[in-house]
Amino acid sequence: MEALGIACSEKQIHQFLTFYEMLIEKNKVMNLTAITEFQDVIEKHFLDSLSLTENRDLNQKLKVLDLGTGAGFPGIPLKIAFPELEIVLMDSLNKRILFLKEVLEELGLSDITAVHGRAEEMAVKSDYREKFDLCVSRAVANLASLSEYCIPFVKVGGNFVSYKSGEVEEEVYQAKKAINVLGGKIVKVQKFTLPGTKVSRSLVQIEKQRKTPKGYPRKSGTPAKNPIC
């Protein structure tokens, strides 16, 4: 974490360890992650989540949406390390959301909520549409589809940052039309290796330059089955 420029207090370290313990315990009865070894979770979940510092200064008040948060990544590590962030964790599986609510309560985190819902349904609601400074996602989905899910939540002038692994050039190229239609523009693709590992990662930064047209995201399942191209 020091290599990422992040200083943690004893309280924050304790929160990370408690989160790890709760994740592993719940994983025995519910499929949350295939990554369970302590060092692997530290590197491939915690450090990976925090690598967003490669893209932007997080020591400020930002309203952040973590879409498709799954077991709470990257949202919970970001909240632990940067308490000023206001975060919404959103996932389509309610069992995961119930687990995340337990985690938030146990860790004593405030200004962070866990919400059950599908992006296609939540992005049309006035409480969520174009209300976030930043949307982040580690979801394993094609960038064109993921952009249709995420960009509608971002306010004009805000950003969507997609966590990707390895080579992303072709995927980025294929997603350009969709991103433009949705009101965004790719402004940066950062490639790096996670500190102390051989894990190569990429962060794709998309700036929201104008409002997303009505009708996006399309009805449930359509963005994944038929990406804009």
Side-chain angles (χ1 to χ4, degrees):
M1 290 175 70
E2 286 177 359
L4 288 172
I6 302 170
C8 265
S9 66
E10 286 297 323
K11 177 184 176 182
Q12 288 167 309
I13 292 170
H14 178 72
Q15 287 173 321
F16 275 113
L17 293 174
T18 301
F19 181 27
Y20 168 77
E21 290 166 0
M22 293 183 74
L23 176 68
I24 298 308
E25 191 61 32
K26 180 62 74 171
N27 204 56
K28 293 175 182 176
V29 295
M30 181 181 167
N31 183 26
L32 289 168
T33 178
I35 299 167
T36 56
E37 291 299 320
F38 181 72
Q39 193 63 30
D40 289 341
V41 171
I42 296 297
E43 294 174 359
K44 296 175 183 176
H45 280 326
F46 292 172
L47 278 180
D48 186 50
S49 295
L50 296 173
S51 67
L52 187 63
T53 57
E54 297 279 350
N55 179 265
R56 62 190 45 245
D57 176 15
L58 296 170
N59 289 294
Q60 54 183 310
K61 193 78 173 177
L62 292 172
K63 189 170 184 180
V64 182
L65 173 66
D66 174 8
L67 189 65
T69 185
F73 304 111
I76 292 181
L78 288 172
K79 180 63 183 179
I80 293 172
F82 302 98
E84 288 188 22
L85 297 176
E86 180 185 342
I87 297 181
V88 174
L89 309 171
M90 190 177 290
D91 199 87
S92 61
L93 188 62
N94 197 43
K95 286 194 294 185
R96 292 194 197 113
I97 293 299
L98 294 175
F99 164 67
L100 295 177
K101 286 181 176 179
E102 291 176 18
V103 173
L104 301 182
E105 184 175 355
E106 183 65 29
L107 300 188
L109 298 174
S110 58
D111 285 333
I112 179 169
T113 55
V115 177
H116 173 232
R118 296 186 65 87
E120 302 97 322
E121 297 161 3
M122 303 300 279
V124 300
K125 296 185 177 183
S126 58
D127 287 349
Y128 296 102
R129 190 174 184 87
E130 299 185 327
K131 290 292 190 292
F132 294 88
D133 302 302
L134 176 64
C135 177
V136 292
S137 183
R138 287 175 82 224
V140 181
N142 177 278
L143 185 60
S145 303
L146 200 56
S147 294
E148 186 171 349
Y149 292 130
C150 293
I151 291 175
F153 288 100
V154 180
K155 62 176 66 170
V156 175
N159 289 270
F160 161 44
V161 177
S162 175
Y163 288 67
K164 291 288 182 181
S165 58
E167 301 302 312
V168 292
E169 285 82 3
E170 186 175 347
E171 190 175 344
V172 167
Y173 176 77
Q174 292 175 348
K176 280 186 176 181
K177 180 178 178 181
I179 290 165
N180 180 60
V181 167
L182 296 161
K185 181 182 179 181
I186 297 170
V187 293
K188 193 186 296 183
V189 178
Q190 289 170 287
K191 291 184 171 185
F192 54 93
T193 302
L194 288 179
T197 78
K198 294 181 180 179
V199 180
S200 61
R201 298 295 279 157
S202 297
L203 294 173
V204 182
Q205 180 187 352
I206 297 164
E207 184 181 280
K208 181 78 168 275
Q209 298 188 329
R210 60 190 186 281
K211 285 182 171 291
T212 299
K214 289 182 179 179
Y216 294 104
R218 291 165 292 169
K219 65 182 182 180
S220 182
T222 304
K225 292 176 186 174
N226 186 26
I228 302 167
C229 60

